[in-house]
Amino acid sequence: MAAPSDHDFSRLNIGKPSIARSDAIYERAVRIIPAGTQTFSKGTTQFVKGFAPKYVASGVGGRVMDVDGNVFVDHIMGCHAINLGYTDPDVNAAVIEQLQLGSTFGLPTELEVEVSELIVETVPCAEAVRFGKNGADATGVAVRIARAVTGRDHVAFCGYHGWHDWFIATTDLNSGIPAFNQELAHSFTFNDLNSLEKIFQAHPNAVACVIMEPLTVPEPENDFLAEVKKMAHAHGALLVFDEVITGFRFAVGGAQELTGVIPDMAAFAKGVSNGVPLSAITGRKEYLHALEKTFFSFTYGGECIGLAAAKATIEKIRREQVPNHLWRIGRRLKEEVNKLAETHGVDEFLQCVGYPCRSVVQIDGAGRFESLEIKSFIQQELLRRGVLWAAYHALCYAHTDEDIEVTLSAYDGAFAEFRKAVESNRPLRGFIEGEPVQPVFRKVTDFNAHIQQAGRPD
C-alpha cells in the first residue's frame, strides 16, 4: 500500500462517494467482529449506511482518504484523539526513533519519568502521574482512588466516562454488569447544583467523588464548577475532572487552566499523544499514592511508543500554543455556520453551539422531524461535498483556512438542500439515501442529552 504522502489529498470527494470496497470489507468484518467495529462511534450505525464510507485508509493533516479513494476534510479526527493532525512529522519522528529502541521492557524507562514531569509542569492539578492506554483506564482508576481514599462507594457523575462497570451500568448497554453498580452511580445535570445536592442528601457520607466533564456544550453558569468543588469538599468527596476531551485542546493545561478551577484529580487521554494510545491519571500526591495500596497495573502501562508520542505532542502543543489556533479557526467556523443556517432559514433546526475549539451542531426537530434524521441528512450532504462529519468539529493544528473554507462551502450546500426538503413538506426520510444514523444509547439521562447528537461515546 502506498504511503499517505503518495496520495493526493487535495482532490476532495464531490458527489455521492463510491463505497464498493468499504462494503466488501464490511461483509468480511461482520462475520468475525461483533457489531462490525471496535468502537461504537466509528461503526455503521453512526453514519448513513449505504451512502457513507465505512473504512478509512490514511490521513494527512486534517484530511482522510477512505479505502475507495474518496478524500474528506475530517472533523471527527479519531474521535478527538488527533489534535495536531494525522502523520504529524514531529510525533512520527519520535515514534519511529523509539520503535527502533524498543517498545515494552521488563523494567521501567526514563521516558515514563520525563513524560510525567512534562504533565506536572503543564497541568495545574498535577503533582503525580500514572499512565494507562484508554480514557476509561484513567476515569476508572480515578473512581477507584477516590473510593480508596474516602472509604465510600457512591459516585456522582456528569458526562460520559467510558466503558467500565460503574458508569455503563447506568445506560441501556449494561448487559453483563452486576445490578448493584446502578445503585452506586448517580447522574447530575450540568449547571444545576440542586441536582448534585440531591445526590449528597440521598446518600449522606457515602459519595466518594464527583466526576464530571468540566466543559461540554453549555458554558458553566454562576461559577458552577467552583460551586461543585465547594459542595463536593463540604460533603467529604473528591472532585475529578474528566479531561479526556478538554485536556491539551481547550488550553494547554486543559479546562482547569482555562477556568481556574483546580480538581483533586484529572483524567487525560485524547490529545495527549496525537492518537497513539496513552492516557494519564494525575492529581494531588496524597491521593495518587493510594495506588501503592490499590491495584492498577498492566503490561502496557509504561509502553514506550505512546510515551514517546506524548512527549513530542505535549512539547509541540506548548511550543506552538496549539489551542490558540484551534480557537481561532473554530471561532470563525462556528460563527459562519450559524450565519449560513440563518441565511438558509434553517436555524430553527440547526445551531452551532459550544466552545470554538470543539463545537457541536445542535439539532432540534422542532416538532416536524426526527433529530437523528436531520443529522443523517446533513451528514449525507456534507459527505457529498467532501466533509467527514458526525455533528461536532474536532479541529486540529493541521486544519488550514482552506479546510475551513471547504467546510463552510459544504455547509452552504447542505443547508440549501435541507431548506428544499423542509419546503417540500415531505417526510425527511425520503431524502436520506441510506439508513439513518442511530443513537449509541437509547436510554437518555441527564448526562447524555447532547451525546446522542454529537457521538461522544467511544
Side-chain angles (χ1 to χ4, degrees):
M1 180 177 291
S5 58
D6 296 328
H7 296 159
D8 184 359
F9 283 82
S10 65
R11 298 184 64 180
L12 292 166
N13 177 74
I14 300 298
K16 183 175 182 177
S18 57
I19 58 171
R21 180 156 167 72
S22 261
D23 284 344
I25 296 171
Y26 182 70
E27 289 304 312
R28 292 161 52 200
V30 293
R31 298 190 191 111
I32 54 175
I33 299 174
T37 181
Q38 310 301 321
T39 308
F40 267 112
S41 59
K42 300 178 185 179
T44 57
T45 63
Q46 302 307 296
F47 299 89
V48 179
K49 190 175 181 181
F51 188 96
K54 298 177 178 67
Y55 295 92
V56 72
S58 59
V60 168
R63 300 187 177 195
V64 291
M65 178 180 291
D66 71 14
V67 294
D68 289 277
N70 304 300
V71 176
F72 305 91
V73 173
D74 187 4
H75 285 292
I76 301 176
M77 300 306 295
C79 305
H80 294 93
I82 312 295
N83 56 352
L84 292 180
Y86 295 110
T87 63
D88 179 83
D90 296 313
V91 177
N92 277 9
V95 165
I96 291 169
E97 180 181 358
Q98 184 59 51
L99 190 61
Q100 293 171 335
L101 296 172
S103 59
T104 302
F105 303 96
L107 292 172
T109 65
E110 185 179 6
L111 193 54
E112 295 177 37
V113 181
E114 292 174 345
V115 179
S116 297
E117 289 171 339
L118 264 178
I119 291 175
V120 169
E121 291 171 6
T122 305
V123 176
C125 80
E127 295 177 355
V129 184
R130 283 286 296 272
F131 296 108
K133 281 297 175 187
N134 302 284
D137 294 346
T139 57
V141 77
V143 169
R144 181 177 294 181
I145 291 169
R147 285 170 165 168
V149 168
T150 63
R152 300 171 174 185
D153 293 333
H154 289 257
V155 175
F157 70 90
C158 180
Y160 169 79
H161 305 294
W163 66 269
H164 285 299
D165 284 7
W166 72 267
F167 174 73
I168 295 298
T170 66
T171 75
D172 63 345
L173 294 181
N174 57 12
S175 176
I177 299 176
F180 73 83
N181 287 279
Q182 299 179 39
E183 302 171 4
L184 298 177
H186 316 282
S187 173
F188 68 97
T189 306
F190 198 86
N191 276 333
D192 184 353
L193 277 174
N194 289 333
S195 67
L196 178 59
E197 179 65 33
K198 288 177 181 177
I199 295 172
F200 284 115
Q201 290 173 348
H203 307 281
N205 302 314
V207 177
C209 68
V210 175
I211 181 169
M212 64 182 299
E213 293 186 79
L215 300 175
T216 56
V217 175
E219 295 190 21
E221 299 172 355
N222 302 316
D223 294 321
F224 178 66
L225 296 178
E227 292 300 316
V228 167
K229 179 178 179 179
K230 185 187 303 182
M231 183 179 292
H233 287 178
H235 288 277
L238 303 187
L239 176 62
V240 180
F241 278 178
D242 178 345
E243 295 232 44
V244 168
I245 282 184
T246 55
F248 304 100
R249 176 176 291 278
F250 281 56
V252 177
Q256 55 194 274
E257 176 186 313
L258 191 65
T259 66
V261 179
I262 313 304
D264 299 304
M265 291 185 287
F268 294 88
K270 303 175 192 287
V272 71
S273 48
N274 200 47
V276 181
L278 190 77
S279 62
I281 180 65
T282 187
R284 293 173 59 179
K285 286 182 181 179
E286 62 186 284
Y287 302 139
L288 268 291
H289 279 284
L291 292 177
E292 295 171 356
K293 297 181 180 179
T294 187
F295 200 71
F296 179 63
S297 177
F298 41 92
T299 300
Y300 297 114
E303 183 272 331
C304 296
I305 304 302
L307 290 169
K311 182 179 179 183
T313 299
I314 296 171
E315 288 177 343
K316 186 164 187 172
I317 289 170
R318 293 170 65 179
R319 182 175 67 250
E320 304 294 335
Q321 288 295 303
V322 167
N324 290 349
H325 175 75
L326 306 185
W327 279 79
R328 181 185 69 80
I329 62 173
R331 186 173 291 109
R332 180 179 174 225
L333 180 60
K334 178 182 175 182
E335 291 174 354
E336 293 299 323
V337 167
N338 283 331
K339 287 180 183 177
L340 286 169
E342 184 176 354
T343 297
H344 289 288
V346 297
D347 50 321
E348 175 186 9
F349 307 99
L350 297 153
Q351 183 181 12
C352 191
V353 298
Y355 291 82
C357 59
R358 191 263 180 184
S359 58
V360 172
V361 177
Q362 187 168 277
I363 302 168
D364 186 345
R368 294 187 57 185
F369 305 108
E370 292 290 334
S371 294
L372 287 173
E373 288 188 351
I374 298 177
K375 177 180 177 180
S376 302
F377 180 84
I378 298 300
Q379 182 187 79
Q380 168 185 288
E381 295 307 309
L382 291 177
L383 284 167
R384 200 190 302 276
R385 293 163 175 81
V387 173
L388 183 62
W389 177 91
Y392 58 83
H393 304 119
L395 300 172
C396 76
Y397 187 55
H399 274 131
T400 63
D401 289 321
E402 179 187 355
D403 291 328
I404 301 305
E405 286 288 350
V406 167
T407 303
L408 291 171
S409 177
Y411 269 116
D412 191 19
F415 288 171
E417 291 301 315
F418 181 53
R419 184 64 196 173
K420 292 178 186 177
V422 171
E423 291 176 341
S424 75
N425 291 316
R426 291 164 48 199
L428 188 58
R429 178 67 183 85
F431 293 91
I432 300 170
E433 300 175 35
E435 299 177 24
V437 301
Q438 302 173 24
V440 174
F441 297 124
R442 288 167 177 79
K443 175 183 175 184
V444 179
T445 60
D446 293 332
F447 82 87
N448 66 6
H450 295 287
I451 291 170
Q452 300 291 46
Q453 296 177 1
R456 169 66 177 89
D458 299 322

